[in-house]
Amino acid sequence: ENVLTQFPATLSLSPGERATLSCRASQSVNTYLVWYQQKSGQAPRLLISDASKRATGIPARFSGSGSGTDFTLTISNIEPEDFAVYYCQQRRNWPPTFGGGTKVEIK
Amino acid sequence: QVHLQESGPGLVKPSQTLSLTCAVSGDSIKAGSFYWSWIRQPAGKGLEWIGRIHTSGSTIYKPSLESRLTISMDKSKNQFSLTLTSVTATDTALYYCVKGSVSYDFEIWGQGILVTVSS
């Protein structure tokens, strides 16, 4: 399986700051990388597919970048509703796998 | 708007069979070309894709679960189901049913159902 490692495990920020989350794959996934947001007690929500394409209705402050094995999710000007756990997932190699998540918490 | 709703027992005894159903509303599971998956999440842990069924009826399962897992579709009821045999405590998790239009992009999620394996 393609192992995805997310770091940091926890990110403590104040509203208005910039969040930079990383995801590293053990094998290249080209740009077949997806990001999800999961708020407490809720199902995950797809944010970004194919490394950089925002899903419908996702605010422009969320952006994704990267290719191969290293990817970044950036949340510019983080808002109170953005504090959550974020997961990356690859769909290049079968079976699809998820990273362990990064928790973005209020500082 | 598509809505997925999981249902099934919240408690299953070890060695028994877990059966869950995902009712789909706002969409037809027999229309188009879509992927209907099950994903689980143990408490406080990450996500694990376990298997899927395509609109055509073809299935694919995670290898480590393949011998115990069956996913099926009931087009007349607009729902799909998961059956996991010989469960153990390691199968305790929140189970989500999910729709995707691109292979292994998980776009629409149900709210999840907590299943505990315990005697």
Side-chain angles (χ1 to χ4, degrees), chain A residues 78 87 98 104:
Chain A
I78 196 167
Y87 293 96
F98 292 85
V104 180

Side-chain angles (χ1 to χ4, degrees), chain A residues 15-74:
Chain A
E17 292 190 303
R18 181 185 191 91
T20 302
L21 289 67
S22 297
C23 175
R24 178 167 291 160
S26 62
Q27 307 168 48
S28 175
V29 301
N30 294 330
T31 57
Y32 295 111
L33 196 286
V34 187
W35 289 96
Y36 300 85
Q37 175 194 65
Q38 186 176 33
K39 297 182 180 179
S40 180
Q42 296 184 18
R45 174 174 70 149
L46 192 154
L47 294 177
I48 289 175
S49 61
D50 292 343
S52 61
K53 299 175 183 176
R54 274 192 308 277
T56 302
I58 301 303
R61 64 180 181 274
F62 290 91
S63 63
S65 64
S67 65
T69 60
D70 291 293
F71 299 86
T72 301
L73 173 68
T74 302

